[in-house]
Amino acid sequence: QVQLVESGGGLVQAGGSLRLSCAASGSIFSINAMGWYRQAPGKQRELVAVIISGARSNYADSVKGRFTISRDSAKNTVYLQMNSLKPDDTAVYYCNANVMSTARAIRDYWGQGTQVTVSS
């Protein structure tokens, strides 16, 4: 089994910054990709940013230039640095990892979610 533990959410004023962290642990053979999704009240979950093995990353248009995703492969940890936050960024942020387990099975895992609230 694989567990994802997130941290770093909270309340911040518009224009401020937050850094989210997500650490993966358990029966991990390799991690193909790690990313962040978010879900605002009444809206569908959407991709925010993803980083693929080899450090290639993709971002939602709404966060380009403001958010930066990075990964520490040695620690199986992904980070999301969020700058110039806007009230529209308010959501529950979920970590996602595409993992090959030690049993060589590949599947997606999700964290429990962390609340980010941006006040105007």
Side-chain angles (χ1 to χ4, degrees), residues 1-6 22-28 31 34 75-77 95-97 99 107 109-112:
Q1 193 59 283
V2 175
Q3 299 81 38
L4 302 182
V5 178
E6 301 144 339
C22 172
S25 63
S27 304
I28 298 170
I31 299 179
M34 297 187 80
K75 296 181 178 179
N76 289 332
T77 299
C95 177
N96 170 272
V99 176
R107 57 160 284 190
Y109 293 88
W110 292 90
Q112 79 282 1

Side-chain angles (χ1 to χ4, degrees), residues 59-76:
Y59 295 90
D61 287 344
S62 59
V63 307
K64 283 180 180 177
R66 301 187 297 121
F67 291 10
T68 302
I69 190 169
S70 60
R71 178 175 163 183
D72 185 335
S73 297
K75 296 181 178 179
N76 289 332

Side-chain angles (χ1 to χ4, degrees), residues 6 18-19 22 37 48 53-54 65 69-70 76 78-79 84-85 87 91 100 105 109-110 112 115 117:
E6 301 144 339
L18 284 174
R19 188 190 193 211
C22 172
Y37 290 70
V48 177
S53 57
I69 190 169
S70 60
N76 289 332
V78 65
Y79 306 95
S84 303
L85 282 161
M100 176 179 285
Y109 293 88
W110 292 90
Q112 79 282 1
Q115 177 71 47
T117 303

Side-chain angles (χ1 to χ4, degrees), residues 44-65:
Q44 290 188 332
R45 190 173 297 189
E46 62 176 0
L47 174 69
V48 177
V50 60
I51 187 164
I52 301 165
S53 57
R56 181 163 56 94
S57 58
N58 291 312
Y59 295 90
D61 287 344
S62 59
V63 307
K64 283 180 180 177

Side-chain angles (χ1 to χ4, degrees), residues 5 8 11 21 28 30 36 38 41 47 52 55-57 62-63 77-78 82 86 97 102 106-107 114 118-119:
V5 178
L11 173 65
S21 300
I28 298 170
S30 64
W36 292 93
R38 67 185 181 188
L47 174 69
I52 301 165
R56 181 163 56 94
S57 58
S62 59
V63 307
T77 299
V78 65
M82 305 185 293
K86 305 175 181 179
T102 52
I106 299 174
R107 57 160 284 190
T114 185
V118 184
S119 63

